């Protein structure tokens, strides 16, 4: 009865297990798994030149997938293939390979592969990967009033608090101590320029040696302009109410790879016009954002790459608030556009009103060429020197000859004199130029020089330097095109108006720069709508005006030509993201040049383009040199200012990590300060628990160190930068390190599977043949014995 009752179950099992019992199924699944892994790692070939990297298309980056390599191997198809392979191998092994002494090797191999697969699933299912930048030190400045401010020790760093300002003048990572019990020791030293009420000096602080903090002050000796305060005043600090310390830069969070977030905070305008955060950054994780393909809701909002179409392909990714402290709590931020590789650029767009604009190319006989854009009255968006190349618009009322001469308006109210004089001579070029009297008054004047199109405070201004005499004293006046900026000052060391800083209102002046002719080459638009001419006033030649047309080169002098590529009599300058063409992109930059368009709904909808930030630094003084800090500010309908930044998702570290220093393993000859002399880079880091316990560790690229389930390794370093290419200030390097952080769950499981499989292979290929040989020899011996017994 029992046998009959189990027969249907056996039959059902045989039907279910029959497909999984085929060896060819396993071979097919392994082949599919191999293809899957190859596509995820390398892509699919698009040409027969498969040895070229450009011949492989990363299929996982296709618009319908948008997956990183990690996500590709953390996806259900991969797990399904792994599971089917293991299931097929288990069924075939159990049904067709009975466990015996001879088949133990095969069982170990198959078991090892299953254990390896299990470890692989654990690894990808729980993988965490990210990094954190840690500076060598953090400066803490406390002024006499008790206010304090912090900034990272970075080349060129600056900050201020109250009436005090601080700027890092130099950093020496190998400062040799010259006094005390530590003579000859090398340490990390930072020199800060200090400006305070009534005092100016420099202070040097040394990491790990606060007792050697000292001030460096002006000595008054031209042979040695700076001297130690201790040498001049007998004490190391000239103001001990000011405290500057160099503390460790303790980092308690790291940032995950390929997991974006938006950070927000409310800011207010400070007394100096700077933005002051009211709260720390509040994070909003982003889910569902593309990574590899551009998505544009409106092509007119971007500058498309040449040859690309303008088809709209928007996204609608909602980013809700997750914290009650969020300044926009309850309001979803909508991401409508994504650009993988774009840079904000300002370009001219034809407009009914606005200044004239032109794109030109200057060429030389030997084939060199320079292209420039010029906008009338806009030095920010003009790429050429305003004194060399400019453009202006004229109408019918302007005479070209008189328009090239600057004018000076003079008003003497007491005598009822009002006049406008052309400026044709300057004392800087004609030193014996006589003063010009103003008839009927005691005043006379002459112009030293004039300067046009100066960029001051973000505005274009023009000015003339005019000497004025009232018959008794002579002074210098800077006369601007905006007379409210006029200033009287001393001449030849004699104070103006007996030291009275106020402007002498007995004589009033205003400068008018020339309408044309302020540049050696000046494009003149008008007065007709499409009329364009060029005024050429090169040194050694007489100024003359020539007509010019788009695309036709005009010779300026000795084979140098000017070509108008395009121009417009009226434009509006618009700033949009410019999509970089595919062939110009650096794949190694990943999404560091990506941008998203964020929309904040409300009574008045606000939108802004957010560039990618590798780290969400709290402020510019908290930013690591070489990494972007460019928050975007929007003003809401209620008047609040909100700063936004797109970066990566944060994760808490098990312990605060700081940087104690570096150890450089160099090639033969030692570290020379050049990158090529570095063999390996070691960061000396310190882990500090909440209870204050500290642990030192030395990490490098191939020598990671564990800490509570996470592994820390050397990811990037701060190499010497003598040209200041990263931060604008020359640097000896070694100011920060970037620690890669990740877990290694499942690694030991995979290793155990590999070891078990290797043991099984050794058993199958070495032990099994020995057992079979001994068995065969035993059979032969028994057979021979039987034959002898019959004889």
């Amino acid at each position: 009865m029992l046998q009959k009752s189990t027969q249907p179950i056996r039959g059902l099992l045989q039907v279910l297990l029959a497909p999984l019992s085929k060896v060819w199924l396993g071979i097919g699944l392994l082949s599919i798994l191999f293809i899957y892994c190859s596509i995820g790692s390398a892509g699919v070939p698009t040409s027969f030149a498969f040895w070229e990297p450009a011949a492989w298309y990363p299929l996982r980056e296709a618009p319908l997938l948008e997956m990183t390599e990690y996500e590709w191997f953390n996806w259900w198809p991969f797990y399904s293939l792994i599971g089917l392979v293991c299931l097929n191998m288990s069924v075939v092994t159990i049904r067709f390979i009975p466990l015996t002494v001879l088949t133990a090797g095969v069982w170990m191999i198959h078991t090892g592969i299953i254990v390896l697969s299990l470890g692989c699933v654990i690894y990808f299912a729980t993988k965490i990967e990210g990094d954190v930048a840690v500076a060598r030190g953090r400066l803490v400045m406390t002024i006499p009033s008790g206010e304090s401010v912090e900034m990272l020790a970075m080349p060129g760093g600056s900050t201020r608090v109250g009436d005090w300002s601080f700027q890092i003048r130099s950093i020496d990572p190998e400062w040799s101590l010259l006094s005390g019990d530590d003579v000859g020791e090398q340490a990390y030293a930072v020199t800060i320029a200090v400006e305070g009420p009534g005092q100016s000096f420099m202070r040097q602080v040394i990491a790990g040696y606060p007792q050697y903090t000292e001030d460096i002050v002006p000595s008054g000796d031209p042979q040695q302009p700076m001297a130690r305060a201790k040498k001049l005043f007998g004490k190391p600090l000239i103001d001990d109410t000011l405290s500057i310390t160099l503390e460790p830069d303790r980092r308690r969070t790291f940032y995950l790879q390929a997991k974006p977030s938006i950070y927000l905070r409310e800011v207010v305008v400070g007394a100096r016009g700077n933005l002051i955060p009211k709260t720390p950054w509040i994070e909003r994780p982003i889910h569902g954002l593309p990574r590899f393909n551009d998505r544009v809701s409106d092509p007119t909002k971007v500058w498309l790459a040449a040859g690309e179409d303008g088809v709209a392909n928007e996204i609608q990714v909602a980013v809700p608030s997750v914290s009650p402290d969020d300044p926009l709590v309850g309001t979803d931020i909508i991401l409508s556009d994504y650009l993988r590789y774009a840079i904000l650029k300002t370009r001219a767009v034809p407009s009914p009103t606005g200044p004239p604009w032109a794109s030109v190319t200057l060429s030389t006989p030997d084939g060199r060429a320079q292209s420039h854009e010029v906008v009338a009255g806009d030095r920010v968006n003009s790429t050429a020197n305003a004194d060399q190349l400019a453009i202006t618009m004229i109408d019918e009322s302007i005479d070209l000859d008189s328009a090239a001469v600057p004018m000076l308006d003079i008003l003497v109210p007491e005598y009822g004199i009002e006049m406008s004089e052309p400026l044709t001579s300057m004392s800087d070029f004609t030193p014996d130029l006589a003063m010009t009297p103003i008839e009927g008054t005691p005043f006379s004047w002459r112009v030293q020089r004039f300067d046009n199109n100066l960029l001051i405070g973000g505005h274009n201004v023009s000015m003339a330097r005019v000497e004025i005499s009232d018959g008794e004293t002579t002074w210098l006046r800077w006369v601007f095109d905006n007379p409210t900026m006029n200033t009287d000052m001393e001449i030849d060391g004699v104070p103006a108006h007996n030291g009275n800083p106020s402007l002498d209102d007995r004589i009033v002046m205003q400068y008018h720069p020339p309408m044309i002719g302020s540049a050696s080459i000046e494009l003149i638009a008008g007065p007709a709508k499409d009329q364009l001419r060029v005024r050429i006033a090169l040194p050694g030649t007489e100024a003359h005006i020539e007509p010019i047309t788009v695309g036709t080169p005009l010779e300026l002098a000795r084979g140098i030509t000017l070509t108008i590529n395009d121009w417009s009599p009226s434009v509006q300058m618009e700033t949009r993201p410019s999509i970089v063409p595919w062939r110009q992109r650096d794949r190694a930059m990943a999404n560091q040049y990506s941008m998203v368009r964020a929309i904040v709904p409300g009574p008045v909808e606000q939108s802004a383009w957010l560039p990618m930030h590798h780290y969400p630094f709290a402020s510019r003084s908290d930013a690591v040199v070489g990494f972007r800090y460019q928050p975007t500010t929007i003003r809401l309908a209620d008047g609040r200012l909100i700063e936004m930044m797109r970066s990566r998702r944060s994760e808490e570290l098990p312990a605060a990590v700081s940087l104690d220093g570096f150890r450089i393993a160099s090639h033969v000859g030692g570290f020379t300060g050049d990158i090529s002399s570095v063999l390996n880079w070691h960061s000396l880091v310190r882990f500090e628990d909440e209870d204050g316990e500290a642990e030192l560790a030395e990490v490098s690229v191939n020598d990671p160190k564990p800490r509570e389930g996470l592994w820390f390794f050397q990811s990037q370093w701060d190499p010497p930068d003598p040209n200041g290419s990263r931060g604008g200030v020359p640097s000896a390097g070694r100011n920060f390190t970037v620690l890669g952080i990740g877990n290694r769950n499942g690694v030991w499981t995979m290793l155990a599977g590999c070891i078990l499989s290797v043991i099984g292979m050794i058993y199958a290929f070495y032990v099994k043949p020995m057992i079979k040989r001994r068995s065969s020899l035993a059979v032969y011996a028994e057979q021979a014995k039987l034959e002898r017994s019959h004889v």
Side-chain angles (χ1 to χ4, degrees):
M1 293 292 294
L2 181 62
Q3 185 176 2
K4 289 183 179 181
S5 65
T6 59
Q7 283 181 350
I9 299 176
R10 287 184 179 181
L12 180 61
L13 285 175
Q14 287 179 350
V15 171
L16 294 176
L17 295 178
L20 296 172
S21 302
K22 305 296 184 182
V23 174
W24 285 107
L25 174 64
I27 295 174
L29 288 172
L30 287 173
S31 300
I32 295 173
L33 183 61
F34 173 78
I35 295 172
Y36 182 93
C37 294
S38 299
I39 292 174
S41 297
V44 294
T46 57
S47 73
F48 290 106
F50 53 83
W51 55 87
E52 295 288 345
W56 292 84
Y57 172 68
L59 184 63
R60 56 181 170 77
E61 297 181 5
L64 293 179
L65 295 175
E66 290 280 0
M67 303 177 76
T68 64
E69 188 172 357
Y70 160 70
E71 289 172 329
W72 180 263
F73 291 103
N74 189 30
W75 195 21
W76 66 265
F78 177 71
Y79 293 144
S80 299
L81 285 171
I82 290 289
L84 288 172
V85 168
C86 293
L87 183 59
N88 171 256
M89 190 178 299
S90 300
V91 171
V92 170
T93 303
I94 293 172
R95 293 193 66 186
F96 302 114
I97 310 176
L99 180 58
T100 65
V101 173
L102 295 179
T103 61
V106 176
W107 275 71
M108 283 189 284
I109 293 172
H110 290 184
T111 304
I113 292 175
I114 293 172
V115 172
L116 172 63
S117 301
L118 178 62
C120 186
V121 170
I122 295 172
Y123 179 85
F124 283 109
T126 63
K127 180 65 176 173
I128 294 176
E129 192 173 22
D131 56 70
V132 61
V134 187
R136 182 65 178 83
R138 178 180 293 271
L139 291 163
V140 180
M141 283 74 64
T142 305
I143 61 177
S145 65
E147 298 176 87
S148 64
V149 67
E150 298 182 10
M151 70 173 171
L152 293 185
M154 292 291 151
S158 63
T159 188
R160 62 181 304 130
V161 57
D163 296 328
W164 295 75
S165 64
F166 307 89
Q167 182 176 17
I168 295 175
R169 283 294 176 85
S170 67
I171 298 177
D172 190 342
E174 294 180 331
W175 176 264
S176 294
L177 299 178
L178 304 176
S179 60
D181 298 332
D182 305 293
V183 173
E185 294 288 335
Q186 290 189 337
Y188 184 82
V190 183
T191 302
I192 307 103
V194 181
E195 296 285 343
Q199 52 187 321
S200 175
F201 57 92
M202 291 190 292
R203 180 166 292 183
Q204 184 186 62
V205 292
I206 303 174
Y209 300 93
Q211 67 272 25
Y212 297 136
T213 300
E214 64 177 351
D215 290 342
I216 304 169
V217 298
S219 65
D221 183 359
Q223 300 296 326
Q224 188 179 1
M226 305 298 291
R228 297 167 60 195
K230 189 171 185 178
K231 180 178 179 182
L232 295 179
F233 306 110
K235 58 180 183 178
L237 304 179
I238 63 172
D239 186 351
D240 54 12
T241 63
L242 170 70
S243 169
I244 302 180
T245 59
L246 186 58
E247 305 292 337
D249 178 34
R250 297 180 177 88
R251 297 289 174 171
R252 293 176 170 82
T253 57
F254 70 104
Y255 301 92
L256 302 176
Q257 301 287 3
K259 293 186 180 296
S261 285
I262 287 181
Y263 293 81
L264 300 93
R265 64 186 178 190
E266 185 178 351
V267 295
V268 295
V269 180
R272 299 184 180 89
N274 57 318
L275 296 178
I276 302 174
K278 293 181 65 176
T279 64
W281 286 119
I282 305 298
E283 183 179 357
R284 289 189 179 195
I286 303 175
H287 301 280
L289 184 69
R291 295 190 184 94
F292 305 104
N293 299 277
D294 295 342
R295 304 291 294 273
V296 181
S297 61
D298 184 355
T300 63
K301 290 186 173 71
V302 301
W303 304 119
L304 294 172
E308 291 193 4
D309 56 23
V311 179
N313 186 20
E314 70 173 343
I315 55 174
Q316 289 290 320
V317 177
V319 186
S321 58
V322 295
S323 169
D325 298 325
D326 193 302
L328 299 177
V329 63
T331 300
D332 289 358
I333 295 175
I334 306 299
L335 305 183
S336 62
D337 301 70
Y338 175 83
L339 305 176
R340 183 183 182 181
Y341 214 114
I343 301 172
L344 283 177
K345 284 189 177 181
T346 301
R347 295 182 183 175
V349 177
S351 172
T353 60
W357 160 89
S359 170
V360 305
T361 298
L362 292 167
S363 304
T364 61
D366 58 3
R368 291 179 297 165
Q370 279 189 345
S371 296
H372 292 284
E373 291 190 20
V374 287
V375 187
D378 188 348
R379 291 188 62 180
V380 174
N381 292 308
S382 296
T383 60
N385 190 316
D387 294 333
Q388 299 174 1
L389 179 64
I391 187 172
T392 191
M393 172 69 79
I394 63 171
D395 55 31
E396 294 84 351
S397 64
I398 296 178
D399 177 70
L400 291 180
D401 293 329
S402 61
V405 179
M407 303 293 291
L408 182 66
D409 289 348
I410 302 175
L411 174 65
V412 188
E414 182 180 353
Y415 295 91
I417 301 296
E418 186 174 355
M419 55 195 295
S420 184
E421 294 291 321
L423 305 182
T424 56
S425 301
M426 294 176 285
S427 63
D428 276 9
F429 301 99
T430 309
D432 56 353
L433 180 67
M435 301 282 285
T436 300
I438 302 176
E439 298 295 335
T441 75
F443 295 102
S444 59
W445 61 277
R446 72 174 181 178
V447 176
Q448 289 185 349
R449 59 175 293 171
F450 54 81
D451 298 282
N452 301 315
N453 298 317
L454 299 173
L455 189 62
I456 300 179
H459 301 283
N460 277 324
V461 298
S462 299
M463 61 165 287
R465 303 181 189 188
V466 184
E467 294 180 36
I468 304 174
S469 175
D470 62 2
E472 296 181 359
T473 60
T474 302
W475 67 94
L476 178 66
R477 176 172 293 180
W478 284 11
V479 183
F480 290 85
D481 51 353
N482 179 2
T484 61
M485 299 174 64
N486 291 359
T487 305
D488 286 348
M489 57 189 61
E490 66 179 30
I491 187 171
D492 296 331
V494 179
H497 321 314
N498 296 319
N500 188 342
S502 61
L503 195 70
D504 191 332
D505 59 3
R506 294 179 300 164
I507 181 169
V508 180
M509 294 181 172
Q510 182 175 2
Y511 174 69
H512 297 280
M515 296 181 182
I516 64 172
S518 60
S520 301
I521 304 170
E522 184 156 11
L523 301 173
I524 303 171
K529 180 180 178 181
D530 296 323
Q531 185 179 11
L532 184 66
R533 291 170 286 177
V534 58
R535 183 179 185 273
I536 305 170
L538 297 174
T541 64
E542 185 177 351
H544 60 286
I545 297 176
E546 299 280 352
I548 191 169
T549 58
V550 174
T552 302
L554 175 67
E555 185 170 2
L556 302 177
R558 296 189 299 273
I560 300 175
T561 61
L562 172 71
T563 303
I564 305 296
N565 305 318
D566 193 11
W567 82 283
S568 176
S570 177
V571 298
Q572 178 181 351
M573 304 306 295
E574 291 190 8
T575 302
R576 306 176 191 170
S578 176
I579 299 177
V580 178
W582 279 97
R583 63 183 179 277
Q584 299 178 13
R585 300 182 183 183
D586 182 0
R587 290 183 60 85
M589 297 306 298
N591 67 340
Q592 289 305 301
Y593 284 98
S594 64
M595 304 185 76
V596 299
R597 182 169 176 263
I599 299 174
V600 180
V604 179
E605 184 178 276
Q606 299 289 337
S607 66
W609 286 97
L610 306 181
M612 182 64 184
H613 290 71
H614 203 65
Y615 301 106
F617 297 117
S619 64
R620 190 167 300 280
S621 59
D622 189 57
V624 174
V625 65
F627 291 95
R628 172 185 286 162
Y629 175 76
Q630 189 182 345
T632 301
T633 306
I634 61 171
R635 183 180 292 275
L636 302 181
D638 58 10
R640 290 188 299 156
L641 294 175
I642 303 295
E643 274 191 343
M644 306 172 67
M645 181 183 290
R646 183 170 66 96
S647 186
R648 298 177 294 158
R649 199 174 304 170
S650 65
E651 191 80 15
E652 289 291 325
L653 285 169
V657 60
S658 58
L659 179 63
D660 267 23
F662 301 98
R663 185 176 69 83
I664 302 175
S666 59
H667 291 284
V668 176
F671 178 60
T672 64
D674 189 79
I675 301 174
S676 61
S677 65
V678 176
L679 178 63
N680 200 357
W681 184 263
H682 301 257
S683 292
L684 309 177
V685 298
R686 179 186 298 269
F687 297 104
E688 295 182 56
D689 294 329
E690 293 182 358
D691 56 8
E693 292 187 8
E695 177 187 351
L696 291 175
E698 181 176 319
V699 301
S700 65
V701 175
N702 296 316
D703 187 18
K705 294 296 188 296
R707 182 75 182 190
E708 296 185 28
L710 293 178
W711 290 77
F712 295 75
F713 61 93
Q714 184 69 49
S715 177
Q716 298 180 46
W717 65 295
D718 179 28
D721 185 18
N723 299 320
S725 59
R726 286 177 294 137
V729 178
S731 167
R734 288 168 280 179
N735 298 299
F736 69 90
T737 188
V738 176
L739 297 176
I741 302 172
N743 60 5
R744 303 175 68 182
N745 297 338
V747 170
W748 289 108
T749 305
M750 289 188 280
L751 182 59
C754 291
I755 293 173
L756 185 58
S757 293
V758 170
I759 293 173
M761 293 177 191
I762 294 173
Y763 188 94
F765 290 104
Y766 292 95
V767 178
K768 176 182 174 181
M770 292 172 60
I771 294 174
K772 292 181 68 175
R773 180 176 176 80
R774 288 180 180 178
S775 298
S776 299
L777 291 175
V779 171
Y780 293 152
E782 186 65 27
Q783 183 68 28
K785 183 178 179 181
L786 290 174
E787 290 178 355
R788 286 195 300 270
S789 64
H790 287 300
V791 174

